[in-house]
Amino acid sequence: MNGLFKYFSTDQDKLERFTKGEVYLTPPKYLNDPWDFRLRIEPPTDDFLRKQAPWLDPEGMAELRSLVSTDDWLEKKAEEELERLSKDHGLICLSEDPLDMLMWAHYGESHKGFVAQFKHSDAEAKKTASVFPCCGSPFGPAAKVDYQPQRPLLKLDQSNTEEVLQKNMMEVLLTKHLCWQYESEWRVIRPLSTGGQHPTKAGFVLAWFRPAYLLRVILGLRVSPEVRFQLREMLNHSEFDHVRKEQMHIAPDSRELKPRPWSW
C-alpha cells in the first residue's frame, strides 16, 4: 500500500474543518452509495424464530416463517438496521490510490479540490481481530474494503458464536459491489460518541488528526483559488513544515497523472 489518502472537494466547511485538523465522521445513511450498509439479510432460521417466539404452535410458526421471508419484511429490517447503525456509528473513507482519474473527477470535484495523505501503520493490524487487512490511521484502525459481484448476507442465526457473528457483520460492512473497485477504499468505522460536535452544525460529528500525521497535500489540476489560498495559509505554520506540497499535472509522454512540487 502506498499510503492512506483522503480526497476533498471545494466544500467550504469541509475545507475549513481540514485546516483545523478535523474531518467529518459520516453516519452510513449519508454515504453516496445507497447500497452501502443497506444489509442483505438472510431469512431467519427456524431455530432463530423458535427462540424469539417459543409460545407459537406449529401453525403459528409457519405463519411467522412466511411473514419474515417476504421481500417487504427483509427490506424493512434492512432499513431499521441502517438507521440503528447510523445513530451510533460514523465512517471516514480513505483510499490507497492518490492518482485515480475517476476519484479525482468524483471526489476531487473535477480536480478543483485536493488530496491529503495521512500516516499509517501496519502494526495496528496485529491488534485488530478481522479477516480483512487492517492498518493504523490517525482516526483509528482502517480496514480494507473488499469488492464482490454480490454482497454477502447478514445471518440472523444466534446459535452461532459471537466470533462468527462479528466476522459475518464485518464481512457485510466491508464489502461493496465490483463497480466501486476503483476507489481502493480503506474505511474507519467508529462510534460517533468518540468524535466531537461540529461547532456550528448541530448533529454533525468530527474526528481530529494531529499535524504530525499529515504527510502530504496534493492539489488538483484545476485547483480552486480559494482551496489553494486556505491550504497555503494552513501549511505556512511551522507544525506543517514536514508536509510535502505537490500538485497534479499530466505527464506529456504517458498522459498519466503525476504529482510534482507545488509552486508555492
Side-chain angles (χ1 to χ4, degrees):
M1 182 173 65
N2 296 322
L4 287 179
F5 302 86
K6 186 164 182 62
Y7 286 76
F8 289 86
S9 67
T10 62
D11 182 283
Q12 181 57 40
D13 185 69
K14 291 180 180 177
L15 174 60
E16 183 178 348
R17 301 271 58 87
F18 175 78
T19 64
K20 297 180 184 301
E22 301 166 337
V23 298
Y24 276 69
L25 194 55
T26 306
K29 69 178 181 179
Y30 297 120
L31 297 175
N32 64 344
D33 176 10
W35 285 268
D36 220 344
F37 277 68
R38 187 181 294 272
L39 312 180
R40 290 181 65 236
I41 299 175
E42 182 181 65
T45 63
D46 284 356
D47 286 343
F48 178 84
L49 294 177
R50 275 192 287 269
K51 289 177 182 177
Q52 301 302 309
W55 59 86
L56 289 179
D57 59 22
E59 184 178 349
M61 182 61 65
E63 291 180 3
L64 178 61
R65 186 187 308 111
S66 177
L67 172 66
V68 300
S69 299
T70 63
D71 289 344
D72 286 345
W73 186 90
L74 293 171
E75 182 59 25
K76 181 181 177 182
K77 186 69 174 175
E79 286 282 353
E80 290 173 354
E81 284 297 305
L82 178 61
E83 286 296 325
R84 182 183 66 81
L85 289 166
S86 296
K87 286 180 181 177
D88 298 328
H89 291 81
L91 282 81
I92 298 170
C93 300
L94 306 164
S95 175
E96 64 181 58
D97 187 358
L99 304 176
D100 187 87
M101 290 186 288
L102 286 176
M103 291 291 284
W104 273 105
H106 298 163
Y107 300 106
E109 199 178 329
S110 300
H111 280 266
K112 291 181 285 188
F114 68 100
V115 162
Q117 180 182 1
F118 295 99
K119 186 176 182 180
H120 75 282
S121 170
D122 293 331
E124 191 70 31
K126 299 177 182 177
K127 305 175 187 177
T128 307
S130 172
V131 294
F132 289 78
C134 293
C135 71
S137 83
F139 314 106
K144 185 175 176 61
V145 171
D146 188 30
Y147 300 94
Q148 297 293 336
Q150 188 171 34
R151 297 178 61 210
L153 287 166
L154 178 68
K155 302 179 185 300
L156 298 178
D157 188 356
Q158 294 181 337
S159 63
N160 288 318
T161 65
E162 184 66 28
E163 182 180 358
V164 170
L165 292 172
Q166 184 178 12
K167 178 181 176 182
N168 174 234
M169 176 61 86
M170 292 304 294
E171 182 183 24
V172 168
L173 300 184
L174 293 173
T175 302
K176 296 187 69 172
H177 192 271
L178 279 173
C179 65
W180 295 96
Q181 195 164 10
Y182 71 93
E183 293 184 333
S184 300
E185 183 182 347
W186 292 68
R187 56 177 42 167
V188 176
I189 305 173
R190 55 184 263 192
L192 292 171
S193 59
T194 63
Q197 291 298 315
H198 193 290
T200 59
K201 292 186 175 183
F204 287 79
V205 179
L206 303 167
W208 303 276
F209 64 89
R210 297 202 300 269
Y213 289 111
L214 179 64
L215 302 181
R216 180 163 50 148
V217 169
I218 311 172
L219 305 182
L221 281 163
R222 306 165 174 165
V223 64
S224 155
E226 181 62 24
V227 169
R228 182 191 295 271
F229 173 78
Q230 291 202 40
L231 290 177
R232 182 188 288 119
E233 291 290 297
M234 171 193 182
L235 299 174
N236 264 333
H237 290 89
S238 59
E239 62 263 38
F240 295 108
D241 284 347
H242 64 283
V243 176
R244 288 169 57 189
K245 307 163 186 73
E246 298 176 336
Q247 183 169 7
M248 286 298 182
H249 78 287
I250 299 174
D253 50 353
S254 66
R255 311 306 291 169
E256 295 179 347
L257 283 176
K258 298 286 185 181
R260 62 184 177 191
W262 171 5
S263 298
W264 196 253

